[in-house]
Amino acid sequence: MAETSSTLGSPTRRLVLQVIGLGSAGFAIGCVPEGATPADDAAGNGVSTLALGPFVKISTDDKVTVLLKHIEFGQGVSTGLPTIVAEELDARWDQMKFEHAPAEVPTYGNLAFGGAVQGTGGSTAIANSWEQLRRAGAAARYMLVQAAAERWGVDAAEITVADGVVSAGEDSATFGELAEGAVAIAPPDAASLTLKDPSTFKLIGQEKSATGVSARADTAAKINGSAKYAMDYHPPGTLVALIARSPKFGGKVASFNAEASRAIPGVMLVRQVPSGVAVIARDFWAAKKGRDAILPQIQWNNDNAEMRSSDAIFEDYRETFDVAGHEARLEGDGATAIGGPGRIISADFEFPYRSCADGAAELRRRVHARRILQDHLRFADADRRPAGRRAGSGPPSRPGHDRYPSCRRILRQEGDAQCRSRG
Amino acid sequence: MNLTINGEAVEVNVAPGDDRPLLWVLREDLALTGTKFGCGVSACGACTVLVDGQPTRSCVTPAATLEGRSVTTIEGLDTPQGKAVQQAWTELDVVQCGWCQSGQILAATALLTQNASPTEDDVNTSMSANICRCATYDRIRNAVVRASQLVGTE
Ligand code: FES
Ligand code: FES
């Protein structure tokens, strides 16, 4: 084993208990030195990155970064949302970048969910961001134009912006060259900005133009192993926790004997949590062996557990077909139509009840010793409050980052403890 | 012991007889996190790496058994077939969430290395055990065929 106990840092017992008290699926607890949060990619290379509002950052190296308030988990928001900004900003597509926004409401709230929740779901990402990001792009453009007007001593009305270049007469400058001036401009009232006429769109609604490139902004990193997912965030000293859960849905721990699990080298703590028994270890394999060892040593209380077999559950479902249903909407006369002439096509589709079937992609959460949540959930804000409550303090921060959710949904199926998605 | 990973001899802290799978040595000890953990029981293919060119499920392969063998992960994929697969994946926008794709790409590379012009049926047969929860199968199939054309033209 590569890790020795001396490299593990010293997670306090209290911290560990607070964290596992969240009752999550698999997660890890990292203990990293102060200041070891993921660095802004601009740090240390002489490039500064300046925020023009909460959604747009422009770097002196002429990159435009869009902060995604929605998670990218394959549906394409890392392409779609920056496209909206780039359009109103008149940026070039090849200068666009993205990163995931920090957990922060109402700034990054989903307007389709009322704005008070930062969440991704229900095919809302583009719809609720559409106007907001168009205005964010237009506001950043305004600030760049004002900065250019000041620099060149010309009227803003004489300035044009196209393909990432701001110009007036003989003068021209890139966004990167104007970034430092633009950040000093007072942001406009976004509602007062005039947005583009859609007939003039150059990026939105256009097919990719070149072959040999991907239309997706996340392809390059996802085909060479460099894309970082929440589960890939594994600083030295990270501990891994796995939870042994009841084999029956709704079962609770009655009692357990942790001896065998504790005897596994690398297992550091075995502890009951609301969803089962958590085994915390110095690495995944030790945690997995510890969990395998504890499973036969747990007595379950099945008083409130689902005790029917899958066959029995399906039988119950089939019987409900014979029961008159609740009428949600009535149009025409279905019964007569089905009884009338014509062809009836009938098929049964039966899907077993399985964990992980809801499309939620994230499962790893990481908590620094400093209590910074490094999760990547569809509801970015959701774990901060319970984490804070358990710790007896305010919610920890969940900073912005460049990671994707770990798609553990691809395989874990029944009987597996790790993939009870909360998404 | 020493492992050869992406062409380099790497000293890893694994004892003979240790059952810790290669996957965790790669991810936790060597920070090669491009190789993904999906199921841990050889059922999904997300953890696929190449061992002496053969697609191998690193989640069930103890690192200690690999002394003297050559391991290629997504980070070190640089054969003509591997490059062609990545290019075809780019052209056809194969990825969605991306979690399964390192494994898909290595499996496709192994296929093309053994069979320069696979048919769609060949792709189905050799890659059906690499699961994609985003269901990118159709694009994978087309991209493997495209990759075979790209290797042919180079
Ligand atoms: S993680 Fe190895 S096959 Fe699924
Ligand atoms: S791309 Fe998401 S699992 Fe394959």
Side-chain angles (χ1 to χ4, degrees), chain A residues 385-423:
Chain A
R385 280 174 284 247
R389 266 201 307 278
R390 303 269 179 191
S393 65
S397 64
R398 209 298 318 267
H401 55 79
D402 58 357
R403 291 180 300 281
Y404 299 92
S406 299
C407 187
R408 293 293 319 288
R409 65 180 162 150
I410 66 172
L411 235 239
R412 291 283 166 153
Q413 294 188 337
E414 61 195 329
D416 184 87
Q418 263 211 39
C419 203
R420 298 281 168 85
S421 163
R422 292 154 47 94

Side-chain angles (χ1 to χ4, degrees), chain A residues 73-74 407 409-410, chain B residues 94-101 104 131-136 140:
Chain A
F73 58 159
C407 187
R409 65 180 162 150
I410 66 172
Chain B
V94 173
V95 308
Q96 289 190 30
C97 82
W99 193 251
C100 73
Q101 298 291 346
Q104 305 284 3
I131 290 176
C132 174
R133 180 61 171 74
C134 297
T136 61
I140 288 173

Side-chain angles (χ1 to χ4, degrees), chain A residues 1-2 73-74 208 214-216 222-223 228-229 231-232 283-285 289 407-412, chain B residues 13 19-21 24 27-29 33 36-39 44 86 90-91 93 95-99 133-134:
Chain A
M1 298 288 168
F73 58 159
K208 69 175 170 180
S214 176
R216 294 185 63 108
K222 288 177 175 177
I223 62 169
K228 291 283 178 263
Y229 295 73
M231 193 180 175
D232 300 334
D283 59 30
F284 178 91
W285 194 240
K289 287 170 121 177
C407 187
R408 293 293 319 288
R409 65 180 162 150
I410 66 172
L411 235 239
R412 291 283 166 153
Chain B
N13 196 353
D19 60 355
R20 188 160 174 244
W24 301 106
R27 290 183 54 84
E28 294 179 337
D29 299 1
T33 54
K36 300 305 186 201
F37 167 49
C39 67
C44 74
Q86 286 169 321
T90 302
E91 289 181 13
D93 295 327
V95 308
Q96 289 190 30
C97 82
W99 193 251
R133 180 61 171 74
C134 297

Side-chain angles (χ1 to χ4, degrees), chain A residues 176-335:
Chain A
E177 288 163 349
L178 291 167
E180 276 163 359
V183 78
I185 303 289
D189 170 16
S192 71
L193 296 166
T194 307
L195 301 179
K196 280 187 174 178
D197 179 338
S199 68
T200 67
F201 284 167
K202 289 169 136 180
L203 294 169
I204 293 173
Q206 304 303 309
E207 292 292 331
K208 69 175 170 180
S209 50
T211 49
V213 300
S214 176
R216 294 185 63 108
D218 53 346
T219 290
K222 288 177 175 177
I223 62 169
N224 65 15
S226 68
K228 291 283 178 263
Y229 295 73
M231 193 180 175
D232 300 334
Y233 184 75
H234 197 92
T238 298
L239 307 182
V240 176
L242 296 182
I243 297 179
R245 293 173 191 265
S246 167
K248 297 204 183 297
F249 194 79
K252 294 269 175 240
V253 175
S255 64
F256 65 97
N257 181 345
E259 218 171 291
S261 186
R262 284 211 182 94
I264 306 282
V267 169
M268 300 176 71
L269 185 65
V270 180
R271 188 81 193 174
Q272 186 170 343
V273 294
S275 49
V277 178
V279 177
I280 297 173
R282 69 183 169 200
D283 59 30
F284 178 91
W285 194 240
K288 152 92 166 58
K289 287 170 121 177
R291 189 187 63 181
D292 290 350
I294 192 102
L295 262 174
Q297 306 296 331
I298 304 174
Q299 275 70 53
W300 300 99
N301 173 342
N302 288 327
D303 288 353
N304 294 310
E306 173 62 73
M307 300 300 282
R308 290 174 298 169
S309 67
S310 296
D311 287 346
I313 291 172
F314 271 120
E315 204 37 60
D316 288 353
Y317 280 135
R318 286 185 208 105
E319 277 168 20
T320 61
F321 278 112
D322 300 329
V323 178
H326 169 73
E327 186 177 296
R329 178 170 157 183
L330 181 64
E331 258 177 57
D333 184 352

